[in-house]
Amino acid sequence: MEIEILHIDECPNWQEAGARVRQSLQELGAPVVPVTFTLLSTVEEAAARPFAGSPTVLIDGVDAFPSDGATADLACRVYRVDGRFAGAPSVADLRSVLAPALFARG
């Protein structure tokens, strides 16, 4: 399993997203799964990736929270968490997308 967080320098939420991904993996009993971080610095870099704003969490190259929001704009992403807007997905939401991917591998 490959987990990658796409982010831009101007958006601080990627660090929180990374901490929450790691917490989710720990809670799922998979703390050794690596998490990589990719800084997108240009519109061209963003356009070449499945980027929907910073942070975008990818599981095996696919947006963990797909939307129609793919963008080449170097902008922050907004998530819905418990009925409100947040800069990163919740631990519970991350567990719900990570668990099937982890357990499908046996």
Side-chain angles (χ1 to χ4, degrees):
M1 166 183 268
E2 294 180 22
I3 300 172
E4 180 180 19
I5 298 176
L6 305 176
H7 68 93
I8 62 172
D9 195 37
E10 296 80 17
C11 188
N13 299 319
W14 65 272
Q15 294 167 326
E16 183 63 28
R20 291 178 184 180
V21 165
R22 288 189 179 106
Q23 181 180 345
S24 299
L25 290 168
Q26 180 74 32
E27 291 176 8
L28 290 167
V32 297
V33 173
V35 179
T36 60
F37 298 87
T38 302
L39 175 64
L40 302 177
S41 300
T42 67
V43 171
E44 292 78 19
E45 289 174 340
R49 303 298 308 273
F51 183 65
S54 178
T56 295
V57 179
L58 303 180
I59 300 174
D60 295 329
V62 177
D63 190 342
F65 301 94
S67 69
D68 292 333
T71 183
D73 293 338
L74 300 178
C76 289
R77 183 172 182 171
V78 177
Y79 292 87
R80 292 286 291 173
V81 175
D82 297 327
R84 59 182 171 72
F85 294 111
S90 70
V91 171
D93 289 341
L94 285 162
R95 273 195 322 266
S96 73
V97 297
L98 289 169
L102 281 168
F103 299 125
R105 288 167 168 60

Coordinates of all heavy atoms in Angstrom, one line a residue:
M1 N 0.8 -1.2 0.0 CA 0.0 0.0 0.0 C 0.9 1.2 0.0 O 1.9 1.3 0.7 CB -0.9 0.0 1.2 CG -1.6 1.3 1.5 SD -2.5 1.4 3.0 CE -4.1 0.9 2.3
E2 N 0.5 2.2 -0.8 CA 1.2 3.4 -0.9 C 0.3 4.6 -0.5 O -0.8 4.7 -1.1 CB 1.8 3.7 -2.3 CG 2.9 2.7 -2.7 CD 3.4 3.0 -4.1 OE1 3.2 4.2 -4.6 OE2 3.9 2.1 -4.7
I3 N 0.7 5.3 0.5 CA -0.1 6.5 0.9 C 0.8 7.7 0.7 O 2.0 7.8 1.1 CB -0.4 6.4 2.4 CG1 -1.3 5.2 2.7 CG2 -1.2 7.7 2.8 CD1 -1.6 4.9 4.1
E4 N 0.2 8.6 -0.1 CA 0.9 9.9 -0.4 C 0.0 11.0 -0.1 O -1.2 11.0 -0.4 CB 1.3 9.8 -1.9 CG 2.1 11.0 -2.4 CD 2.4 11.0 -3.9 OE1 1.8 10.2 -4.6 OE2 3.3 11.7 -4.3
I5 N 0.6 12.1 0.4 CA -0.1 13.3 0.7 C 0.5 14.4 -0.2 O 1.6 14.8 -0.1 CB -0.1 13.7 2.2 CG1 -0.7 12.6 3.0 CG2 -0.7 15.1 2.4 CD1 -0.7 12.8 4.5
L6 N -0.4 14.9 -1.1 CA 0.0 16.0 -2.0 C -0.3 17.3 -1.3 O -1.4 17.4 -0.8 CB -0.8 15.9 -3.3 CG -0.7 14.6 -4.1 CD1 -1.5 14.7 -5.4 CD2 0.8 14.3 -4.5
H7 N 0.6 18.2 -1.4 CA 0.4 19.5 -0.7 C 1.1 20.6 -1.3 O 2.0 20.4 -2.2 CB 0.8 19.3 0.8 CG 2.3 19.2 1.0 ND1 3.1 20.3 1.3 CD2 3.1 18.1 1.0 CE1 4.3 19.9 1.4 NE2 4.4 18.5 1.3
I8 N 0.7 21.8 -0.9 CA 1.4 23.0 -1.3 C 2.1 23.6 -0.1 O 1.7 23.4 1.1 CB 0.5 24.0 -2.0 CG1 -0.6 24.5 -1.1 CG2 -0.1 23.4 -3.3 CD1 -1.5 25.6 -1.6
D9 N 3.1 24.4 -0.3 CA 3.8 25.0 0.8 C 3.0 26.0 1.6 O 3.1 26.1 2.9 CB 5.1 25.7 0.3 CG 6.1 26.0 1.3 OD1 6.2 25.2 2.3 OD2 6.7 27.1 1.3
E10 N 2.1 26.7 1.0 CA 1.3 27.8 1.7 C 0.2 27.2 2.5 O -0.5 28.0 3.2 CB 0.7 28.7 0.6 CG 1.8 29.5 -0.1 CD 2.4 28.7 -1.3 OE1 1.8 27.7 -1.7 OE2 3.5 29.1 -1.8
C11 N -0.1 26.0 2.5 CA -1.3 25.4 3.2 C -0.7 24.5 4.4 O -0.1 23.5 4.1 CB -2.1 24.6 2.3 SG -3.7 24.0 3.1
P12 N -1.0 24.9 5.6 CA -0.4 24.2 6.7 C -1.2 22.9 7.1 O -0.7 22.1 7.9 CB -0.6 25.2 7.9 CG -1.8 25.9 7.5 CD -1.8 26.1 6.0
N13 N -2.3 22.6 6.4 CA -3.1 21.5 6.8 C -2.5 20.1 6.5 O -2.9 19.1 7.0 CB -4.5 21.6 6.2 CG -5.2 22.8 6.7 OD1 -5.1 23.2 7.8 ND2 -5.9 23.5 5.8
W14 N -1.5 20.1 5.6 CA -0.9 18.8 5.2 C -0.2 18.1 6.4 O -0.2 16.9 6.5 CB 0.1 19.0 4.0 CG 1.3 19.8 4.3 CD1 1.4 21.2 4.2 CD2 2.6 19.4 4.7 NE1 2.7 21.6 4.6 CE2 3.4 20.5 4.9 CE3 3.1 18.1 5.0 CZ2 4.7 20.4 5.3 CZ3 4.4 18.0 5.4 CH2 5.2 19.1 5.6
Q15 N 0.3 18.9 7.3 CA 1.0 18.3 8.5 C -0.1 17.6 9.4 O 0.2 16.5 9.8 CB 1.7 19.4 9.2 CG 2.9 19.9 8.4 CD 3.5 21.2 9.0 OE1 2.8 22.0 9.6 NE2 4.8 21.3 8.8
E16 N -1.2 18.2 9.6 CA -2.3 17.6 10.4 C -2.8 16.4 9.7 O -3.1 15.4 10.3 CB -3.4 18.6 10.6 CG -4.5 18.1 11.5 CD -4.0 17.7 12.9 OE1 -3.1 18.3 13.4 OE2 -4.7 16.8 13.5
A17 N -3.0 16.5 8.3 CA -3.4 15.3 7.6 C -2.5 14.1 7.8 O -2.9 13.0 8.0 CB -3.6 15.7 6.1
G18 N -1.2 14.4 7.7 CA -0.2 13.4 7.9 C -0.3 12.7 9.3 O -0.2 11.5 9.4
A19 N -0.4 13.6 10.3 CA -0.6 13.1 11.7 C -1.8 12.2 11.8 O -1.8 11.2 12.5 CB -0.6 14.2 12.7
R20 N -2.9 12.6 11.2 CA -4.1 11.9 11.3 C -4.0 10.6 10.5 O -4.6 9.5 10.9 CB -5.3 12.7 10.8 CG -5.6 13.9 11.7 CD -6.7 14.7 11.2 NE -6.9 15.9 12.1 CZ -7.8 16.8 11.9 NH1 -8.7 16.7 10.9 NH2 -8.0 17.8 12.8
V21 N -3.4 10.5 9.4 CA -3.1 9.3 8.6 C -2.4 8.3 9.5 O -2.7 7.2 9.6 CB -2.4 9.6 7.3 CG1 -1.9 8.3 6.7 CG2 -3.4 10.2 6.3
R22 N -1.3 8.8 10.1 CA -0.5 7.9 10.9 C -1.3 7.4 12.1 O -1.1 6.2 12.5 CB 0.8 8.7 11.4 CG 1.8 8.9 10.3 CD 3.1 9.4 10.8 NE 4.0 9.6 9.7 CZ 4.4 10.7 9.1 NH1 3.9 11.8 9.5 NH2 5.3 10.7 8.1
Q23 N -2.1 8.3 12.7 CA -2.9 7.8 13.9 C -3.9 6.8 13.4 O -4.1 5.8 14.1 CB -3.7 9.0 14.5 CG -4.5 8.6 15.7 CD -5.3 9.8 16.3 OE1 -5.0 10.9 16.0 NE2 -6.3 9.5 17.1
S24 N -4.5 7.0 12.2 CA -5.4 6.0 11.7 C -4.8 4.7 11.4 O -5.3 3.6 11.8 CB -6.0 6.5 10.4 OG -6.7 7.7 10.6
L25 N -3.6 4.7 10.9 CA -2.8 3.5 10.6 C -2.5 2.8 11.9 O -2.6 1.5 12.0 CB -1.6 3.8 9.8 CG -1.8 4.2 8.4 CD1 -0.5 4.7 7.8 CD2 -2.3 3.0 7.5
Q26 N -2.1 3.5 12.9 CA -1.8 2.9 14.2 C -3.0 2.2 14.8 O -3.0 1.1 15.3 CB -1.3 4.1 15.2 CG -1.0 3.6 16.6 CD 0.3 2.8 16.6 OE1 1.2 3.1 15.8 NE2 0.4 1.9 17.5
E27 N -4.2 2.9 14.7 CA -5.4 2.4 15.3 C -5.9 1.1 14.5 O -6.5 0.2 15.0 CB -6.5 3.4 15.3 CG -6.3 4.5 16.3 CD -7.3 5.6 16.2 OE1 -8.3 5.5 15.5 OE2 -7.1 6.6 16.9
L28 N -5.5 1.0 13.2 CA -5.8 -0.1 12.4 C -4.8 -1.2 12.5 O -4.9 -2.3 11.8 CB -6.0 0.3 10.9 CG -7.2 1.2 10.6 CD1 -7.1 1.8 9.2 CD2 -8.5 0.4 10.8
G29 N -3.8 -1.0 13.3 CA -2.7 -2.1 13.5 C -1.7 -2.1 12.3 O -1.1 -3.2 12.1
A30 N -1.6 -1.0 11.6 CA -0.6 -1.0 10.5 C 0.3 0.2 10.6 O 0.5 1.0 9.6 CB -1.4 -1.0 9.2
P31 N 1.0 0.3 11.7 CA 1.8 1.5 11.9 C 3.1 1.6 11.0 O 3.7 2.7 10.9 CB 2.3 1.4 13.4 CG 2.2 0.0 13.7 CD 1.1 -0.6 12.9
V32 N 3.4 0.5 10.3 CA 4.7 0.5 9.5 C 4.4 0.9 8.1 O 5.3 1.0 7.3 CB 5.4 -0.8 9.6 CG1 5.8 -1.1 11.0 CG2 4.5 -1.9 9.0
V33 N 3.2 1.1 7.7 CA 2.9 1.6 6.3 C 3.5 3.0 6.2 O 3.1 3.9 6.9 CB 1.3 1.6 6.1 CG1 1.0 2.2 4.7 CG2 0.8 0.2 6.2
P34 N 4.3 3.2 5.2 CA 4.9 4.5 5.0 C 4.0 5.5 4.4 O 3.1 5.2 3.6 CB 6.1 4.2 4.0 CG 5.7 3.0 3.3 CD 4.8 2.2 4.2
V35 N 4.2 6.7 4.8 CA 3.4 7.9 4.3 C 4.4 8.8 3.7 O 5.3 9.2 4.4 CB 2.6 8.6 5.5 CG1 1.8 9.7 4.9 CG2 1.7 7.6 6.2
T36 N 4.2 9.1 2.4 CA 5.1 10.1 1.8 C 4.4 11.4 1.6 O 3.2 11.4 1.5 CB 5.7 9.6 0.5 OG1 4.6 9.3 -0.4 CG2 6.5 8.3 0.6
F37 N 5.2 12.5 1.5 CA 4.6 13.8 1.3 C 5.3 14.4 0.0 O 6.5 14.3 -0.2 CB 4.9 14.7 2.5 CG 4.3 14.2 3.7 CD1 5.0 13.3 4.5 CD2 3.1 14.6 4.1 CE1 4.4 12.8 5.7 CE2 2.5 14.2 5.3 CZ 3.2 13.3 6.1
T38 N 4.4 14.9 -0.9 CA 4.9 15.5 -2.1 C 4.5 16.9 -2.2 O 3.3 17.2 -2.2 CB 4.3 14.7 -3.3 OG1 4.8 13.3 -3.2 CG2 4.9 15.2 -4.6
L39 N 5.5 17.8 -2.3 CA 5.2 19.2 -2.4 C 5.0 19.5 -3.9 O 5.8 19.2 -4.7 CB 6.4 20.0 -1.9 CG 6.4 21.5 -2.0 CD1 5.2 22.1 -1.3 CD2 7.7 22.1 -1.6
L40 N 3.9 20.2 -4.2 CA 3.6 20.6 -5.5 C 3.8 22.1 -5.5 O 3.2 22.9 -4.8 CB 2.1 20.3 -5.9 CG 1.7 18.9 -5.8 CD1 0.2 18.7 -6.1 CD2 2.6 18.0 -6.7
S41 N 4.7 22.5 -6.4 CA 5.2 23.9 -6.4 C 4.7 24.7 -7.6 O 4.7 25.9 -7.7 CB 6.7 24.0 -6.4 OG 7.2 23.4 -5.2
T42 N 4.2 24.0 -8.7 CA 3.8 24.7 -9.9 C 2.4 24.2 -10.3 O 2.0 23.1 -10.0 CB 4.8 24.4 -11.0 OG1 4.7 23.1 -11.4 CG2 6.2 24.9 -10.7
V43 N 1.8 25.0 -11.1 CA 0.5 24.6 -11.7 C 0.6 23.3 -12.6 O -0.2 22.4 -12.5 CB -0.1 25.7 -12.5 CG1 -1.3 25.3 -13.3 CG2 -0.4 26.9 -11.6
E44 N 1.8 23.2 -13.2 CA 2.0 22.0 -14.1 C 2.1 20.8 -13.2 O 1.6 19.7 -13.6 CB 3.3 22.2 -14.9 CG 3.2 23.3 -16.0 CD 3.3 24.7 -15.4 OE1 3.8 24.9 -14.3 OE2 2.8 25.7 -16.1
E45 N 2.8 20.8 -12.1 CA 2.9 19.7 -11.2 C 1.5 19.3 -10.7 O 1.2 18.1 -10.6 CB 3.8 20.0 -10.0 CG 5.3 20.1 -10.4 CD 6.1 20.5 -9.2 OE1 5.6 21.1 -8.2 OE2 7.4 20.3 -9.3
A46 N 0.7 20.3 -10.3 CA -0.6 20.0 -9.8 C -1.5 19.3 -10.9 O -2.3 18.4 -10.6 CB -1.3 21.2 -9.2
A47 N -1.4 19.8 -12.1 CA -2.2 19.3 -13.2 C -1.8 17.9 -13.6 O -2.7 17.2 -14.1 CB -2.1 20.2 -14.4
A48 N -0.6 17.5 -13.3 CA -0.2 16.2 -13.7 C -0.5 15.1 -12.6 O -0.3 13.9 -12.9 CB 1.4 16.2 -13.9
R49 N -1.1 15.5 -11.5 CA -1.4 14.6 -10.4 C -2.9 14.6 -10.1 O -3.6 15.6 -10.5 CB -0.7 15.0 -9.2 CG 0.8 15.1 -9.3 CD 1.5 13.7 -9.6 NE 1.1 12.6 -8.8 CZ 1.7 12.3 -7.6 NH1 2.7 13.0 -7.2 NH2 1.3 11.3 -6.9
P50 N -3.5 13.6 -9.4 CA -4.9 13.7 -9.0 C -5.1 14.6 -7.8 O -5.4 14.2 -6.7 CB -5.2 12.2 -8.7 CG -3.9 11.6 -8.3 CD -2.9 12.3 -9.1
F51 N -4.8 15.9 -8.0 CA -4.8 16.9 -7.0 C -6.1 17.6 -6.9 O -6.6 18.1 -7.9 CB -3.6 17.9 -7.3 CG -3.4 18.9 -6.2 CD1 -3.0 18.6 -4.9 CD2 -3.6 20.2 -6.5 CE1 -2.8 19.5 -4.0 CE2 -3.4 21.2 -5.6 CZ -3.0 20.9 -4.3
A52 N -6.7 17.7 -5.7 CA -7.9 18.4 -5.5 C -7.8 19.4 -4.4 O -8.7 19.8 -3.7 CB -9.0 17.4 -5.1
G53 N -6.6 20.0 -4.3 CA -6.3 20.9 -3.2 C -5.4 20.3 -2.1 O -5.4 19.1 -2.0
S54 N -4.8 21.2 -1.4 CA -3.9 20.7 -0.3 C -4.6 20.6 1.0 O -5.2 21.6 1.5 CB -2.7 21.7 -0.2 OG -1.8 21.3 0.8
P55 N -4.5 19.5 1.7 CA -3.8 18.2 1.3 C -4.8 17.3 0.6 O -5.9 17.2 0.9 CB -3.5 17.6 2.7 CG -4.6 18.1 3.6 CD -5.0 19.5 3.1
T56 N -4.2 16.6 -0.4 CA -4.9 15.5 -1.1 C -4.3 14.2 -0.6 O -3.1 14.0 -0.8 CB -4.9 15.6 -2.6 OG1 -5.6 16.8 -3.0 CG2 -5.5 14.4 -3.3
V57 N -5.0 13.3 0.0 CA -4.5 12.0 0.4 C -4.8 11.0 -0.7 O -5.9 10.8 -1.1 CB -5.2 11.6 1.7 CG1 -4.7 10.2 2.2 CG2 -5.1 12.6 2.8
L58 N -3.7 10.4 -1.1 CA -3.8 9.3 -2.2 C -3.5 8.0 -1.5 O -2.6 7.8 -0.7 CB -2.8 9.6 -3.3 CG -2.8 10.9 -4.0 CD1 -1.8 11.0 -5.1 CD2 -4.2 11.1 -4.6
I59 N -4.3 7.0 -1.9 CA -4.1 5.6 -1.5 C -3.8 4.9 -2.8 O -4.7 4.8 -3.7 CB -5.3 5.0 -0.8 CG1 -5.5 5.7 0.5 CG2 -5.0 3.5 -0.5 CD1 -6.8 5.3 1.2
D60 N -2.6 4.3 -3.0 CA -2.2 3.7 -4.2 C -2.5 4.6 -5.5 O -3.0 4.1 -6.5 CB -2.9 2.3 -4.4 CG -2.4 1.3 -3.3 OD1 -1.2 1.5 -2.9 OD2 -3.2 0.5 -2.9
G61 N -2.2 5.9 -5.3 CA -2.4 6.8 -6.4 C -3.7 7.3 -6.7 O -3.9 8.1 -7.6
V62 N -4.7 6.9 -5.9 CA -6.1 7.4 -6.1 C -6.5 8.2 -4.9 O -6.3 7.9 -3.7 CB -7.0 6.1 -6.2 CG1 -8.5 6.5 -6.3 CG2 -6.6 5.2 -7.3
D63 N -7.2 9.3 -5.2 CA -7.7 10.2 -4.2 C -8.6 9.4 -3.2 O -9.6 8.8 -3.6 CB -8.5 11.4 -4.8 CG -8.9 12.5 -3.8 OD1 -8.8 12.3 -2.6 OD2 -9.2 13.6 -4.3
A64 N -8.3 9.5 -1.9 CA -9.0 8.7 -0.9 C -10.4 9.3 -0.7 O -11.3 8.7 -0.2 CB -8.3 8.7 0.4
F65 N -10.6 10.6 -1.1 CA -11.9 11.3 -0.9 C -12.2 11.9 -2.2 O -12.2 13.1 -2.4 CB -11.8 12.3 0.2 CG -11.4 11.7 1.5 CD1 -10.1 11.7 2.0 CD2 -12.4 11.2 2.4 CE1 -9.7 11.1 3.2 CE2 -12.0 10.6 3.6 CZ -10.7 10.6 4.0
P66 N -12.6 11.1 -3.2 CA -12.8 11.6 -4.6 C -13.9 12.6 -4.6 O -14.9 12.5 -3.9 CB -13.1 10.4 -5.4 CG -13.5 9.3 -4.4 CD -12.9 9.7 -3.1
S67 N -13.7 13.6 -5.5 CA -14.7 14.6 -5.7 C -14.6 15.1 -7.1 O -13.7 14.7 -7.9 CB -14.5 15.8 -4.7 OG -13.3 16.4 -5.0
D68 N -15.4 16.0 -7.5 CA -15.3 16.7 -8.8 C -14.3 17.8 -8.7 O -14.3 18.7 -9.6 CB -16.6 17.1 -9.3 CG -17.6 16.0 -9.7 OD1 -17.0 14.9 -10.0 OD2 -18.8 16.1 -9.6
G69 N -13.6 17.9 -7.6 CA -12.7 19.1 -7.4 C -11.3 19.0 -7.8 O -10.5 19.8 -7.3
A70 N -11.0 18.2 -8.8 CA -9.6 18.1 -9.3 C -9.3 19.5 -9.8 O -10.1 20.2 -10.5 CB -9.5 17.1 -10.4
T71 N -8.0 20.0 -9.5 CA -7.6 21.3 -9.8 C -6.2 21.4 -10.1 O -5.4 20.6 -9.6 CB -8.0 22.3 -8.7 OG1 -7.7 23.6 -9.1 CG2 -7.3 22.0 -7.4
A72 N -5.8 22.3 -10.9 CA -4.4 22.6 -11.1 C -4.0 23.9 -10.2 O -2.8 24.2 -10.2 CB -4.1 22.9 -12.5
D73 N -5.0 24.4 -9.6 CA -4.7 25.6 -8.7 C -4.0 25.2 -7.5 O -4.3 24.1 -6.9 CB -6.1 26.3 -8.3 CG -6.8 26.9 -9.4 OD1 -6.2 27.2 -10.4 OD2 -8.0 27.1 -9.3
L74 N -3.0 26.0 -7.1 CA -2.2 25.7 -5.9 C -3.0 26.3 -4.7 O -2.8 27.4 -4.3 CB -0.8 26.3 -6.0 CG 0.0 25.7 -7.1 CD1 1.4 26.4 -7.2 CD2 0.1 24.2 -7.0
A75 N -4.0 25.5 -4.2 CA -4.9 26.0 -3.2 C -5.1 25.0 -2.1 O -4.8 23.8 -2.3 CB -6.3 26.4 -3.8
C76 N -5.7 25.4 -1.0 CA -6.0 24.5 0.1 C -7.3 23.8 -0.3 O -8.1 24.3 -1.0 CB -6.2 25.3 1.4 SG -4.7 25.9 2.1
R77 N -7.5 22.6 0.3 CA -8.7 21.8 0.1 C -9.5 21.9 1.4 O -9.0 22.0 2.5 CB -8.3 20.4 -0.1 CG -9.4 19.4 -0.4 CD -8.9 18.1 -0.9 NE -10.1 17.2 -1.2 CZ -9.9 16.0 -1.8 NH1 -8.7 15.6 -2.1 NH2 -11.0 15.3 -2.0
V78 N -10.8 21.8 1.2 CA -11.7 21.8 2.3 C -12.4 20.4 2.4 O -12.9 19.9 1.4 CB -12.8 22.9 2.2 CG1 -13.8 22.9 3.3 CG2 -12.1 24.3 2.1
Y79 N -12.5 19.9 3.6 CA -13.2 18.6 3.9 C -14.4 18.9 4.7 O -14.4 19.8 5.5 CB -12.2 17.6 4.6 CG -11.1 17.1 3.7 CD1 -9.9 17.9 3.7 CD2 -11.2 16.0 3.0 CE1 -8.8 17.4 2.9 CE2 -10.1 15.5 2.2 CZ -9.0 16.3 2.2 OH -7.9 15.8 1.4
R80 N -15.4 18.0 4.6 CA -16.5 18.0 5.5 C -16.3 17.0 6.7 O -16.0 15.8 6.4 CB -17.8 17.6 4.8 CG -18.3 18.6 3.8 CD -18.9 19.9 4.3 NE -20.2 19.6 4.9 CZ -20.8 20.6 5.6 NH1 -20.3 21.8 5.7 NH2 -22.0 20.3 6.1
V81 N -16.2 17.5 7.9 CA -16.0 16.7 9.1 C -17.0 17.0 10.1 O -17.1 18.1 10.6 CB -14.6 17.0 9.6 CG1 -14.3 16.2 10.9 CG2 -13.5 16.6 8.6
D82 N -17.8 16.0 10.4 CA -18.9 16.2 11.4 C -19.8 17.4 11.1 O -20.1 18.1 12.0 CB -18.3 16.3 12.8 CG -17.5 15.1 13.3 OD1 -17.9 13.9 12.8 OD2 -16.6 15.2 14.0
G83 N -20.1 17.5 9.8 CA -21.1 18.6 9.4 C -20.5 20.0 9.3 O -21.2 20.9 9.1
R84 N -19.2 20.1 9.5 CA -18.5 21.4 9.3 C -17.3 21.3 8.4 O -16.9 20.2 8.0 CB -18.1 21.9 10.7 CG -17.1 21.0 11.4 CD -16.8 21.6 12.8 NE -16.0 20.7 13.6 CZ -14.8 20.3 13.4 NH1 -14.1 20.9 12.4 NH2 -14.2 19.4 14.2
F85 N -16.8 22.4 8.0 CA -15.6 22.4 7.1 C -14.4 22.3 7.9 O -14.2 22.8 9.0 CB -15.6 23.7 6.3 CG -16.8 23.8 5.4 CD1 -17.8 24.7 5.6 CD2 -16.8 23.0 4.3 CE1 -18.8 24.8 4.7 CE2 -17.9 23.0 3.4 CZ -18.9 24.0 3.6
A86 N -13.4 21.6 7.4 CA -12.1 21.4 8.0 C -11.0 21.3 7.0 O -11.3 21.0 5.8 CB -12.1 20.1 8.9
G87 N -9.8 21.6 7.4 CA -8.7 21.6 6.5 C -8.0 20.2 6.2 O -7.2 20.1 5.4
A88 N -8.5 19.2 7.0 CA -7.9 17.9 6.8 C -9.0 16.9 7.2 O -9.9 17.2 8.0 CB -6.7 17.6 7.7
P89 N -9.0 15.7 6.6 CA -10.0 14.7 6.9 C -9.8 14.2 8.4 O -8.7 14.3 8.9 CB -9.8 13.5 6.0 CG -8.4 13.7 5.5 CD -8.1 15.2 5.6
S90 N -10.9 13.8 9.0 CA -10.9 13.3 10.4 C -10.2 11.9 10.4 O -10.1 11.2 9.4 CB -12.3 13.2 11.0 OG -13.0 12.1 10.4
V91 N -9.8 11.6 11.6 CA -9.2 10.2 11.9 C -10.2 9.2 11.5 O -9.9 8.2 10.9 CB -8.7 10.1 13.3 CG1 -8.3 8.7 13.6 CG2 -7.5 11.0 13.5
A92 N -11.5 9.4 11.9 CA -12.5 8.4 11.6 C -12.7 8.2 10.1 O -12.9 7.1 9.6 CB -13.8 8.8 12.3
D93 N -12.8 9.3 9.4 CA -12.9 9.2 8.0 C -11.7 8.6 7.3 O -11.9 7.8 6.4 CB -13.1 10.6 7.4 CG -14.5 11.2 7.7 OD1 -15.4 10.5 8.1 OD2 -14.6 12.5 7.6
L94 N -10.6 8.8 7.8 CA -9.4 8.2 7.2 C -9.4 6.7 7.5 O -9.1 5.9 6.7 CB -8.1 8.8 7.8 CG -7.8 10.2 7.2 CD1 -6.8 11.0 8.1 CD2 -7.2 10.0 5.8
R95 N -9.8 6.3 8.7 CA -9.9 4.9 9.1 C -10.8 4.2 8.1 O -10.6 3.1 7.6 CB -10.3 4.7 10.5 CG -9.2 4.6 11.5 CD -9.7 4.1 12.9 NE -11.0 4.5 13.2 CZ -11.3 5.5 14.0 NH1 -10.4 6.3 14.5 NH2 -12.6 5.8 14.3
S96 N -11.9 4.9 7.8 CA -13.0 4.2 6.9 C -12.5 4.0 5.5 O -13.0 3.1 4.8 CB -14.3 5.0 7.0 OG -14.1 6.3 6.2
V97 N -11.5 4.8 5.0 CA -11.0 4.6 3.7 C -9.7 3.8 3.7 O -9.5 3.1 2.7 CB -10.8 5.9 2.9 CG1 -12.1 6.7 2.7 CG2 -9.7 6.8 3.6
L98 N -9.0 3.8 4.8 CA -7.8 3.0 4.9 C -8.1 1.5 5.2 O -7.4 0.6 4.6 CB -6.8 3.6 5.9 CG -6.2 4.9 5.5 CD1 -5.5 5.5 6.8 CD2 -5.2 4.7 4.4
A99 N -9.0 1.3 6.0 CA -9.3 -0.1 6.4 C -9.6 -1.1 5.2 O -9.0 -2.1 5.1 CB -10.5 -0.2 7.4
P100 N -10.5 -0.7 4.3 CA -10.7 -1.6 3.2 C -9.5 -1.9 2.3 O -9.2 -3.0 1.9 CB -11.8 -0.9 2.3 CG -12.4 0.0 3.3 CD -11.4 0.4 4.3
A101 N -8.7 -0.8 2.2 CA -7.4 -1.0 1.4 C -6.4 -1.9 2.1 O -5.8 -2.7 1.5 CB -6.8 0.4 1.1
L102 N -6.3 -1.7 3.4 CA -5.4 -2.6 4.2 C -5.9 -4.0 4.2 O -5.1 -4.9 3.9 CB -5.3 -2.1 5.6 CG -4.5 -0.9 5.9 CD1 -4.7 -0.3 7.3 CD2 -3.0 -1.2 5.7
F103 N -7.1 -4.2 4.5 CA -7.6 -5.6 4.6 C -7.8 -6.3 3.3 O -7.9 -7.5 3.3 CB -8.9 -5.6 5.5 CG -8.6 -5.0 6.9 CD1 -9.3 -4.0 7.4 CD2 -7.6 -5.5 7.7 CE1 -9.1 -3.4 8.6 CE2 -7.3 -5.0 8.9 CZ -8.0 -4.0 9.4
A104 N -7.9 -5.6 2.2 CA -8.0 -6.2 0.9 C -6.7 -6.9 0.5 O -6.7 -7.8 -0.3 CB -8.3 -5.2 -0.2
R105 N -5.6 -6.5 1.2 CA -4.3 -7.1 0.9 C -4.1 -8.3 1.8 O -3.1 -9.0 1.6 CB -3.2 -6.1 1.2 CG -3.2 -5.0 0.2 CD -2.3 -3.8 0.6 NE -2.0 -2.9 -0.4 CZ -2.9 -2.2 -1.1 NH1 -4.2 -2.4 -1.0 NH2 -2.5 -1.4 -2.1
G106 N -4.9 -8.6 2.7 CA -4.8 -9.8 3.5 C -3.9 -9.7 4.6 O -2.9 -9.7 5.0

